[in-house]
Amino acid sequence: MTPSSPVSALTIAGSDSGGGAGIQADLKAFAAHRVHGLSAIAALTAQNTRGVSAVHVPPLAFLQAQIDACFADFDIHAVKLGMLANAEVIGLVADALEKYRPTHVVLDPVMVATSGARLLEDSALHAMRTRLLPLATLLTPNIPEAELLLGRPITRADEAEDAAAALLDLGAGAVLLKGGHLHEGARVVDRYFDGVTRDEFIHARLPVDAHGTGCTLASAITAQLCQGLSLPNACEAAIDYVARGLQGGYYPGRSEVLVIDHFGAARPA
């Protein structure tokens, strides 16, 4: 029997030493969707469920070598971008995307950790707007990240709808504005807009403090795109995946911070 070749997805992001977010969460989500996961580590964090205590950015030449090695050997269907800590890293990644031209680029603009720690240098914000957003098939910011990108507060549902359109105007192909930080009662509303299709994906708000949800959502969308789903359908399927993972989540550390159960999330109810 000849083994089959699974599709491949590449994550260019930061490593989470606690295993709940970043590269580690991305690879778990890829595997749960039966997608071969590749990684290029753009930053290393000393991190656990309580927060981020240190960040180290490896030399640019080493990041370049990782990206080149992946594209030289694998048929990469989609790329997921996570924590890119400074303008130099963003510029290198943008140059690589312009060189290799992957079919899909899912940009999770990791700027603020769930714990509140700032993960993106101020000098990188302009580079994020001008270099990466125009290359993104899909942008997946949370509310604080959207506020940083747009330079204005988002506190109401109508402001969130306007923000999705404004983010699209910055150059991304589509936007999924995550609603977990917006208070809309007992529900969470994630808003999708691509200039033509506008949709809302609604789930019940769970009374938990979770870690790695943004990384997992973006990587699950990336995996669904690898499997051939359209952008809106990939977003919906990935949001359902995260919701299932939260319902079966667990507490690996000493704090009351939940981590997603990827294996349980891979089995729809």
Side-chain angles (χ1 to χ4, degrees), residues 129 133-134 150 152 162-173 175 193 195:
R129 290 192 190 107
L133 261 66
L150 295 174
R152 67 185 193 225
D162 291 343
L167 289 167
L168 195 72
D169 289 341
L170 292 179
V175 175
F193 185 53

Side-chain angles (χ1 to χ4, degrees), residues 42-43 55-57 82-90 110 119-125 128:
V55 176
H56 172 69
V57 178
M83 180 184 172
L84 306 175
N86 59 46
E88 291 76 19
V89 169
I90 289 172
V110 178
L119 300 176
L120 187 75
E121 294 180 2
D122 290 338
S123 62
L125 190 56
M128 177 77 72

Side-chain angles (χ1 to χ4, degrees), residues 19 24 30 32 35 77 83 89 148 170 214 228-229:
Q24 287 80 354
F30 291 165
V35 169
H77 288 237
M83 180 184 172
V89 169
L148 283 172
L170 292 179
L229 269 67

Side-chain angles (χ1 to χ4, degrees), residues 208-259:
V208 297
D209 183 8
H211 180 55
T213 53
C215 303
T216 298
L217 177 62
S219 52
I221 293 170
T222 304
Q224 296 286 1
L225 291 172
C226 284
Q227 300 289 16
L229 269 67
S230 67
L231 262 177
N233 289 342
C235 290
E236 182 175 23
I239 290 167
D240 288 343
Y241 173 86
V242 171
R244 292 194 301 272
L246 287 172
Q247 289 169 357
Y250 57 95
Y251 298 94
R254 293 186 175 91
S255 65
E256 291 298 311
V257 174
L258 191 77
V259 169

